[in-house]
Amino acid sequence: MTTTAQPPKTPVQPASPGEPEAPARPPKPVQRRGDRIFSGSTLTAGIVILVTLAAVAIFLVAQSLPAFTAGEEDIKGDATNFLSYVWPLVFGTVWAAFLALVIAVPLSIMVALFITHYAPRRLAQSLGYVIDLLAAVPSVVYGLWGIGVLAPAVQPVYSWLVTNMGWFPLFAGPVSGTGRTILTVGIVLAVMILPIITSLSREIFLQTPKLHEEAALALGATRWEMITIAVLPFGRPGIVSASMLGLGRALGETMAVAMVLSPSLIISLVLLQSQNPTTIAANIALNFPEAHGVGVNILIASGLILFAITFVVNFISRAIVDRRKAFSGAN
């Protein structure tokens, strides 16, 4: 019977009496194949997103450079340079989105509070599904609804406002005969961003600690007082961030604005007239098929401005969420 020779073992040197023993090394964790695949996939997805964002930014910047040196003959309308051309578009974009927020935010908060604290469970679930379903409606359908239903319905209201409140600068005449005004666009955009703000606000209100609500009720507060004391302060950062996300959707909306609005390259705060400031996205959609040469670069440059505005809005939203991690779902 043969025996294999064993390699000599290295003797372990004992520690000297005054020297502390070296700590034992922890065993190296074994990473499973599935974990490696998952971590690699997530890392790849994050890198792809960053590369795509950088590629879009580089493309917009490179294609926008000729627009900043374009002459008056290359710019559509009465503008003499690119800045004078894009400034009314920036104003119209921000103004329409602001009107949408003014209309949508209070309504969204009220609907979210009704679903979470007032409605019966079955009604709350059904209403939540209906609100979420609004987010799946295409913007073209909203545009058709704005032209065929909303604009004719609100035109008599606009006429009444001009007749009785025309002294107020926002309601100055002459009134639009079709109802296709910047206020109508604001209403359509408000309906479009309503599901975003409502859904996020609803989830935030549901995260309010039950101890805070029960403590307010135990001290004799009514349900509305409990909401003002416990729920709204807890959800304030989340409401702001949800509004910012809705603002980002309103800033980039194209088809609904292009279909409803009667656009002009003007700067005006009047809500009910037939001449209205247009938005960057709608202007690109309407003029890009006919653009050529430097005109294409001008439209791309206006898209770069919209890209920067949207990026700033998303950055502000993320900063607000990061101020208090408890309201972002991190805890």
Side-chain angles (χ1 to χ4, degrees), residues 157 183 194 230:
V157 180
L183 182 57
L194 183 70

Side-chain angles (χ1 to χ4, degrees), residues 202-269:
R202 179 186 62 197
E203 296 301 325
I204 292 167
F205 294 157
L206 289 175
Q207 293 179 10
T208 305
K210 293 298 181 182
L211 291 177
H212 296 182
E213 298 180 1
E214 294 173 357
L217 295 174
L219 292 174
T222 62
R223 182 177 296 184
W224 171 245
E225 291 174 342
M226 179 270 295
I227 290 174
T228 58
I229 294 173
V231 178
L232 292 180
F234 179 87
R236 186 178 296 113
I239 294 172
V240 175
S241 60
S243 302
M244 289 292 180
L245 293 178
L247 177 61
R249 169 69 189 277
L251 290 171
E253 180 52 42
T254 304
M255 289 307 302
V257 178
M259 295 172 66
V260 175
L261 194 62
S262 299
S264 300
L265 290 177
I266 60 173
I267 298 177
S268 176
L269 294 174

